[in-house]
Amino acid sequence: MSTSVIEDPALNAADRCDRCGAQAYVRVTLATGSELLFCAHHGKQHADKLKQVALEIHDESERLT
């Protein structure tokens, strides 16, 4: 028996923050299946609230360091 893992595709320069339009580094999947994209700044700013409503948070902000 094998188990396959489906990963979200990596975020790229075409993915833009829903708040300010900067490059997105955080993808938030909601229980409804909708996705929100955030730059690293807004992802951190709203992290506590997003954790309360997110089904999954895909964070690539470590790419900035």
Side-chain angles (χ1 to χ4, degrees), residues 7-24:
E7 292 188 28
D8 288 330
L11 294 166
N12 61 51
D15 294 312
R16 310 313 287 181
C17 176
D18 290 328
R19 181 77 173 118
C20 70
Q23 183 173 347

Side-chain angles (χ1 to χ4, degrees), residues 28-41:
V28 179
T29 304
L30 303 174
T32 61
S34 299
E35 290 184 340
L36 298 172
L37 299 176
F38 293 99
C39 63
H41 167 77

